[in-house]
Amino acid sequence: MAPKVPRQQQPDFPRPYTTVDVVIFTVLDEALKVLLVQRPLDTSDPYPGRWALPGGFVDIERDADLLACARRKLLEKTAVRSPYLEQLGSWGSATRDPRGWSSTHAYFALMPAQDVQLAKGANAADVAWFEADAALAGPSLAFDHAQILKAAVDRLRGKVEYTSLPAFLLAEPFTLPQLQKTYEIVLGRPVDKSGFRTRMMAADFLEEAGVVESASHRPPMGYRLKDRSMPVFFPRTFSPRGEP
Amino acid sequence: MAPKVPRQQQPDFPRPYTTVDVVIFTVLDEALKVLLVQRPLDTSDPYPGRWALPGGFVDIERDADLLACARRKLLEKTAVRSPYLEQLGSWGSATRDPRGWSSTHAYFALMPAQDVQLAKGANAADVAWFEADAALAGPSLAFDHAQILKAAVDRLRGKVEYTSLPAFLLAEPFTLPQLQKTYEIVLGRPVDKSGFRTRMMAADFLEEAGVVESASHRPPMGYRLKDRSMPVFFPRTFSPRGEP
DNA sequence: GCAATAGTGTCTATGAGACAATATAGA
DNA sequence: TCTATATTGTCTCATAGACACTATTGC
């Protein structure tokens, strides 16, 4: 009697599609922005003309691993080589892509707006920055990208409470008032100046980069990150007393 | 001239394998344990005889989405239907599986040891609980499962500092001393009794379930979770003063 | 000196940690 | 009453938040 071989052990059982999507954040015009690409109108691809997160299929010839794939997508759309990049989560189901069972590995990236050169790709009619909250409230995105974007915004807003993540949204050198402003933009609320400075200095992740030439008034100190590869975690949160 | 169609838009470009792995935790014999399965010796599958996380290929016929797939793996190995289940992350590369480019979606589960009936599956020579730290220090696991397990243990230990997760490791009703003990086992350090109780009560996620019949001495109050679907987040951490 | 922004000092309520005290059961 | 465990109370000190104050520039 032949041993029962489960279907999954056969070499050629059907496989889902595998994609990588990247939520790219920056701060521009005093707002948290996210990069979206418009899907082409003149193809048979799903969601023609709709805005979507940059991303696409894993190319098993070119991509050594998921992170490399995310970096490739990032480089193609923004020409930025090594921003802060963090895995966000994955979404997969039989129905999220009309072409068939697919799963996507989502990443999110933080970069200074100055670094970005928007690239009109072959497969994207257009590329543009959208205010994060507007992109969530506005006309619905392709696939389940609204869900993914919401998860990314929630994760970013959450982590900003207790990490140095906003520093990755600024070009170096930056000043403490600029950094504070960035925290306030992402959090959507003001932050106490004195407490903010104490917190940043206590975390010991900045190094002085010389006083910045300012337009007028007292010139501020410029800072650089001691280590651009990782954010720092603060012991507590910025939350007002009562709230979690 | 024919438009250049990227290889990826063709319907039949090569796809990676897609799998789901589950890190199943429980507390047993005063230790944090993780469920591992031994890979069969008598097949051509990779890593014969090695211990691995329970998991396997997504079955696009049976699994509606990734979570459903994780639940299926869970049910097959433990006969537990709805434990606490959280997405951990994903790992994918050309080399992690010798059969070819593959990506896995990892989940972690928390369950009371009492609930589990270990099942010897068709594709697993054996199933057993291992102490979490021993599994990490001991002989290496199949694939990149040591990496995944480490991420799971780190995530669990990290979240225990500020969430009610350990409650999902206990059968209801449980007592506050039992819950405290569970926190101490996962954290690997003692916790102050008074502060612990204040914290738990302030979080308001427990409901009384009547006094528990005890062997002797003062009988403790039994508790149930008000909501088994989600953990509660505490405002602060258990960390001793100096440490983060 | 004045305006504007950068940076520091000070006061206080809160709340966590440490530990002491009380409560309730069986023997 | 004694013992063992459960549960509550108290004291103290660090710190986050609020806000006032000083510092340094250009005009």
Side-chain angles (χ1 to χ4, degrees):
Chain A
M1 181 180 131
K4 184 191 166 197
V5 175
R7 196 167 60 84
Q8 294 180 336
Q9 285 187 31
Q10 297 166 16
D12 292 317
F13 59 87
R15 309 177 191 184
Y17 293 97
T18 302
T19 63
V20 167
D21 292 307
V22 188
V23 184
I24 305 173
F25 288 113
T26 198
V27 163
L28 195 61
D29 303 330
E30 311 232 322
L32 179 67
K33 307 250 175 166
V34 59
L35 191 75
L36 298 179
V37 302
Q38 193 169 24
R39 296 181 59 79
L41 278 161
D42 55 351
T43 72
S44 58
D45 282 0
Y47 298 102
R50 295 275 275 281
W51 292 93
L53 297 171
F57 296 106
V58 167
D59 184 332
I60 68 173
E61 309 279 316
R62 295 162 67 194
D63 302 319
D65 56 30
L66 291 173
L67 193 60
C69 180
R71 281 194 202 292
R72 178 169 64 83
K73 310 281 180 198
L74 211 46
L75 190 62
E76 286 171 3
K77 299 296 180 212
T78 66
V80 171
R81 198 162 289 275
S82 49
Y84 177 78
L85 192 55
E86 171 178 327
Q87 195 178 78
L88 176 64
S90 59
W91 282 259
S93 78
T95 55
R96 61 179 295 277
D97 187 318
R99 290 167 293 194
W101 224 108
S102 82
S103 75
T104 192
H105 304 265
Y107 286 77
F108 80 92
L110 308 179
M111 53 180 65
Q114 297 98 309
D115 291 6
V116 183
Q117 301 167 271
L118 292 190
K120 320 290 182 187
N123 193 32
D126 212 345
V127 185
W129 292 112
F130 285 75
E131 201 166 331
D133 292 314
L136 281 171
S140 72
L141 303 180
F143 305 103
D144 49 4
H145 287 187
Q147 226 180 107
I148 297 174
L149 175 57
K150 178 164 190 327
V153 171
D154 288 350
R155 170 97 133 241
L156 177 61
R157 293 232 165 92
K159 283 189 104 163
V160 163
E161 297 279 354
Y162 59 95
T163 69
S164 63
L165 279 186
F168 294 94
L169 293 164
L170 288 174
E172 296 175 329
F174 52 83
T175 70
L176 279 181
Q178 282 173 340
L179 185 59
Q180 182 181 344
K181 185 73 189 169
T182 307
Y183 270 84
E184 291 174 336
I185 288 167
V186 179
L187 288 172
R189 69 176 145 85
V191 164
D192 180 78
K193 187 170 45 162
S194 175
F196 179 79
R197 301 178 81 95
T198 312
R199 213 174 153 82
M200 294 303 125
M201 289 335 229
D204 191 37
F205 68 104
L206 298 173
E207 62 184 12
E208 298 193 350
V211 171
V212 171
E213 303 294 326
S214 184
S216 80
H217 317 306
R218 175 172 176 175
M221 176 61 72
Y223 292 93
R224 258 192 305 272
L225 291 181
K226 282 185 177 174
D227 178 5
R228 271 200 90 75
S229 74
M230 284 223 311
V232 164
F233 288 71
F234 308 137
R236 290 167 182 245
T237 76
F238 287 120
S239 301
R241 284 280 152 169
E243 308 159 38
Chain B
M1 179 178 131
K4 182 191 167 197
V5 175
R7 196 166 59 84
Q8 295 180 336
Q9 284 188 31
Q10 297 167 18
D12 291 318
F13 59 87
R15 309 178 191 183
Y17 292 97
T18 302
T19 64
V20 168
D21 293 306
V22 188
V23 183
I24 305 173
F25 288 113
T26 199
V27 164
L28 196 59
D29 303 330
E30 311 232 322
L32 179 66
K33 308 249 177 170
V34 60
L35 192 75
L36 298 179
V37 303
Q38 192 170 25
R39 296 180 61 78
L41 278 161
D42 56 350
T43 72
S44 59
D45 282 2
Y47 298 101
R50 295 275 276 280
W51 291 94
L53 297 172
F57 296 106
V58 167
D59 184 332
I60 69 174
E61 308 281 314
R62 296 162 67 193
D63 303 318
D65 55 30
L66 291 173
L67 193 61
C69 180
R71 281 194 202 291
R72 178 169 64 82
K73 310 281 179 196
L74 212 45
L75 190 63
E76 286 171 2
K77 299 296 179 212
T78 66
V80 171
R81 198 163 289 274
S82 50
Y84 176 79
L85 193 55
E86 172 177 326
Q87 195 179 78
L88 176 64
S90 60
W91 281 260
S93 78
T95 55
R96 60 179 297 278
D97 187 319
R99 290 167 292 194
W101 224 109
S102 84
S103 76
T104 193
H105 304 265
Y107 286 76
F108 80 94
L110 307 179
M111 54 180 65
Q114 298 97 308
D115 290 7
V116 182
Q117 300 168 272
L118 291 189
K120 321 288 184 185
N123 194 31
D126 210 346
V127 185
W129 291 112
F130 285 75
E131 201 166 332
D133 292 314
L136 282 172
S140 73
L141 303 180
F143 305 104
D144 49 4
H145 287 187
Q147 224 180 109
I148 297 173
L149 175 57
K150 179 166 191 324
V153 171
D154 288 350
R155 171 98 132 238
L156 176 61
R157 293 233 165 93
K159 283 188 105 162
V160 162
E161 298 279 355
Y162 59 94
T163 69
S164 64
L165 279 187
F168 294 94
L169 293 164
L170 289 174
E172 294 174 330
F174 52 83
T175 71
L176 278 182
Q178 281 174 340
L179 185 59
Q180 184 180 343
K181 184 74 189 170
T182 307
Y183 271 84
E184 291 175 334
I185 288 167
V186 178
L187 288 172
R189 70 176 144 86
V191 165
D192 180 79
K193 194 169 36 166
S194 177
F196 180 79
R197 301 177 80 95
T198 313
R199 212 173 153 81
M200 294 303 124
M201 290 336 233
D204 192 38
F205 68 104
L206 297 173
E207 63 186 10
E208 297 194 350
V211 170
V212 171
E213 303 292 325
S214 184
S216 79
H217 317 306
R218 176 172 177 176
M221 176 61 72
Y223 292 93
R224 258 192 306 271
L225 291 180
K226 283 185 176 173
D227 177 6
R228 273 200 88 76
S229 73
M230 283 222 313
V232 164
F233 289 70
F234 308 137
R236 290 170 182 243
T237 77
F238 286 120
S239 301
R241 286 278 154 171
E243 308 160 36

